[in-house]
Amino acid sequence: MRLRNIPGAEEDMQKNPFVVKAPEEKKGQWREFFGNDRPLSLEIGCGKGRFLSELSIRNPQVNFIGIEKFSSVLLRALEKRAELPCENLYYLRFDAEGIESCFAPSEVSRIYLNFSDPWPKARHHKRRLTSREFLSRYEKILAPEGVVEFKTDNVKLFDFSLEEAEESGWEILAATRDLHRDPVMREGNIMTEYEEKFSLLGNRICKLVMRPGRKLKGEPKE
Ligand code: SAM
């Protein structure tokens, strides 16, 4: 999602108190930043921020960071953020390709990927947020029990993500190809902007929850 270029978007974003500037300097120090030792969850590609706005209100015992690469999009999330009374939600304007420069090993408990860009051309598959390249980045920053939750209406992208997870030795903890009719997985579901748009068109929503495979101590990495 890239909105029309908004003049001054970058400057407005830089002044916003809920945008973390120089996030690389917070690597390994997010507990100090939030002033508590609650678990840290990220949404990568948070778009206009509806999901995180609701999630952060429902879960005051968790710290949240939304990551979005375009200022014009992030500004919409920041408008919502200004209306929220909570203290547990901040945003980064950042390309998640460099995520390991902002978070230390085991610093993150959960990563949400909602309706990530499909990048249909084969030569761009590495840019998919569920590609093996990204899974390997997440593996480095996730805590031992850390998980990734992924939702999409794109069946090809969902199949690709399952294959990449298997190829990377990740464990699938739960999966559905019809989230809104799954009696267990739909429990507590928060609709994102894209989820509402695509489900109104009649598309089924797929969801998977996965975590890096556990390697025995001393076992060599493939
Ligand atoms: N998650 C929102 C939703 O479900 O409504 C937005 C989905 S939109 C299709 C995908 C968003 O991910 C876009 O806003 C895009 O700019 C962002 N994005 C894609 N690749 C990214 C990356 N490498 N780092 C940060 N954001 C990214």
Side-chain angles (χ1 to χ4, degrees):
M1 182 201 312
R2 196 194 310 219
L3 297 182
R4 164 177 66 79
N5 211 17
I6 301 174
E10 185 66 25
E11 293 74 16
D12 286 355
M13 210 209 51
Q14 286 298 335
K15 282 189 236 148
N16 192 293
F18 299 112
V19 175
V20 183
K21 286 87 192 175
E24 294 90 341
E25 292 171 11
K26 307 284 183 303
K27 179 174 178 171
Q29 293 173 34
W30 288 104
R31 284 191 175 143
E32 289 78 359
F33 174 82
F34 280 98
N36 58 55
D37 60 0
R38 295 174 188 151
L40 176 61
S41 292
L42 312 178
E43 185 188 6
I44 301 178
C46 60
K48 298 181 194 167
R50 183 207 283 187
F51 176 79
L52 276 185
S53 298
E54 179 64 30
L55 193 65
S56 59
I57 290 287
R58 284 193 201 176
N59 297 281
Q61 75 290 0
V62 177
N63 296 324
F64 293 96
I65 293 181
I67 302 177
E68 169 54 52
K69 72 177 169 184
F70 292 117
S71 311
S72 53
V73 184
L74 187 54
L75 276 184
R76 298 292 181 83
L78 292 167
E79 286 166 10
K80 293 188 183 74
R81 178 66 186 90
E83 304 298 318
L84 297 177
C86 61
E87 293 174 358
N88 59 339
L89 173 60
Y90 284 83
Y91 286 97
L92 310 185
R93 216 272 298 128
F94 196 78
D95 187 327
E97 263 194 51
I99 196 153
E100 298 152 74
S101 63
C102 298
F103 301 95
S106 299
E107 202 168 22
V108 174
S109 293
R110 193 169 288 258
I111 298 174
Y112 296 95
L113 307 170
N114 292 318
F115 297 82
S116 309
D117 294 332
W119 293 107
K121 290 182 183 155
R123 69 173 189 278
H124 291 150
H125 283 183
K126 276 195 269 194
R127 297 184 194 172
R128 290 176 165 176
L129 294 180
T130 51
S131 65
R132 63 192 69 183
E133 288 80 6
F134 270 96
L135 295 185
S136 144
R137 294 176 184 125
Y138 305 149
E139 192 162 350
K140 292 186 183 114
I141 61 170
L142 277 173
E145 299 299 322
V147 299
V148 170
E149 296 197 15
F150 171 56
K151 290 197 279 189
T152 183
D153 68 316
N154 185 318
V155 175
K156 282 189 181 161
L157 181 61
F158 190 68
D159 288 340
F160 168 89
S161 306
L162 287 168
E163 284 163 22
E164 292 295 276
E166 188 181 350
E167 200 55 46
S168 306
W170 282 47
E171 187 182 352
I172 305 298
L173 300 175
T176 177
R177 288 173 186 269
D178 196 355
L179 175 64
H180 295 174
R181 287 185 194 79
D182 186 302
V184 177
M185 289 186 76
R186 73 179 180 192
E187 188 84 7
N189 183 52
I190 296 172
M191 291 259 245
T192 77
E193 280 92 351
Y194 271 64
E195 183 169 353
E196 181 171 77
K197 184 167 122 186
F198 290 126
S199 52
L200 283 173
L201 291 174
N203 297 3
R204 288 186 185 171
I205 307 303
C206 305
K207 177 172 180 178
L208 71 86
V209 182
M210 59 184 166
R211 70 174 169 209
R214 291 190 200 161
K215 296 240 164 11
L216 294 173
K217 252 190 173 171
E219 192 181 336
K221 282 224 170 219
E222 287 124 46

